[in-house]
Amino acid sequence: MELHFDRELSELRDLLLRMSAFAEQSVTGALKALAERDSALAARIRADDARLDELEKEIDERCIQLIALRQPKARDLRLIFVTLKIGSELERIGDQAVSVARRAIELNREPPQKQLGDIPRMAEQAIGMIREAMDAFVYRKADLARGVIASDEHVDRLNQQLHRSLTNFIMENPQTINAALNLMTVARKLERMADHATNIAEEVVYLCEGRDIRHEHESMKDVTDG
């Protein structure tokens, strides 16, 4: 019985990693579509989102079955709950990638824009945070997860800087307002991806230490900003 349960947990982990790889592929594809003005690729990213939704549903079903049939306790139960939550965060990352793909299609209707600002840096940071958060999950490294959480403020700052520079760009070049607003939306979606990576990292800390640290870094940010 225990051997079967261990195998089922391993299969669940592998399914979550497949979902993570697909979510990261969606993000990188959407950003490539944006950078290369590839509307066909952007359309594929939008169409492929259903696969991510199906993976989330399969993970949910397996977690429910494991809880109902195996009645796990302590650390195993924590792992199943964390897997459920991470699956939800990955699905939302996929949703953000679809939104970026939509904006890429919109931007392709406009003249090419050189004003990408910090979007490439934000994209690199967000993708790196997703990857490191999942590595922290696989290898049970709370310190790596905390590093992901600390990186979130950097992405927030890049988002704010980009919004300021694009606002100034609109004032100087009013004819670019549609393109600039689409780029602001892309930046906001990247910032949200980083938030989801942060949420995954917080779940990893809970998995490793049994300590719920959600919202702690937000409280510290409020103290710093206040």
Side-chain angles (χ1 to χ4, degrees):
M1 178 78 74
E2 185 173 341
L3 185 61
H4 289 304
F5 183 46
D6 288 343
R7 186 180 70 245
E8 289 166 340
L9 287 177
S10 178
E11 290 172 353
L12 180 63
R13 187 199 70 163
D14 291 345
L15 189 59
L16 187 67
L17 293 180
R18 278 177 52 202
M19 187 177 184
S20 173
F22 190 78
E24 185 179 329
Q25 178 183 330
S26 296
V27 174
T28 55
L31 291 163
K32 182 178 179 181
L34 175 69
E36 299 182 2
R37 297 176 63 82
D38 189 339
S39 293
L41 175 57
R44 287 200 300 274
I45 298 300
R46 295 176 63 182
D48 286 347
D49 187 55
R51 291 177 58 191
L52 205 58
D53 294 339
E54 290 302 317
L55 283 169
E56 183 192 20
K57 289 178 184 177
E58 186 175 351
I59 287 171
D60 288 354
E61 289 172 4
R62 290 203 184 197
C63 287
I64 292 169
Q65 288 176 356
L66 284 173
I67 292 170
L69 299 177
R70 301 300 188 189
Q71 298 181 339
K73 295 181 175 60
R75 190 176 182 86
D76 289 335
L77 182 60
R78 200 157 70 214
L79 171 61
I80 293 171
F81 279 129
V82 165
T83 300
L84 272 169
K85 291 183 177 180
I86 292 177
S88 177
E89 297 294 341
L90 291 172
E91 190 275 334
R92 291 174 186 172
I93 288 171
D95 287 344
Q96 305 300 333
V98 168
S99 183
V100 171
R102 287 197 191 102
R103 297 301 168 180
I105 292 172
E106 290 291 326
L107 282 162
N108 287 349
R109 299 189 179 114
E110 303 280 344
Q113 298 296 317
K114 296 181 180 179
Q115 187 66 20
L116 290 179
D118 287 320
I119 284 179
R121 288 172 60 198
M122 286 186 68
E124 182 180 357
Q125 185 85 30
I127 292 170
M129 288 174 66
I130 296 166
R131 192 174 295 138
E132 287 183 3
M134 291 307 300
D135 283 346
F137 169 76
V138 171
Y139 299 109
R140 301 292 194 274
K141 289 188 175 182
D143 56 341
L144 181 58
R146 284 192 166 88
V148 172
I149 295 168
S151 297
D152 188 48
E153 288 188 28
H154 183 228
V155 177
D156 290 343
R157 286 195 298 271
L158 288 174
N159 185 38
Q160 292 164 5
Q161 291 169 10
L162 188 138
H163 273 66
R164 283 194 296 268
S165 66
L166 284 173
T167 298
N168 292 333
F169 188 66
I170 290 171
M171 293 174 65
E172 296 170 1
N173 306 273
Q175 74 278 8
T176 65
I177 185 169
N178 288 335
L181 289 175
N182 277 313
L183 290 172
M184 286 181 179
T185 299
V186 170
R188 186 163 65 248
K189 297 305 177 180
L190 290 170
E191 190 268 338
R192 290 298 298 136
M193 290 179 199
D195 287 343
H196 293 308
T198 297
N199 293 344
I200 292 171
E202 289 173 342
E203 294 300 334
V204 172
V205 173
Y206 174 67
L207 176 63
C208 295
E209 301 178 356
R211 180 185 171 201
D212 188 346
I213 64 166
R214 289 176 299 175
H215 314 303
E216 285 186 7
H217 69 290
E218 293 176 3
S219 299
M220 290 301 296
K221 189 190 302 183
D222 291 340
V223 170
T224 303
D225 293 345

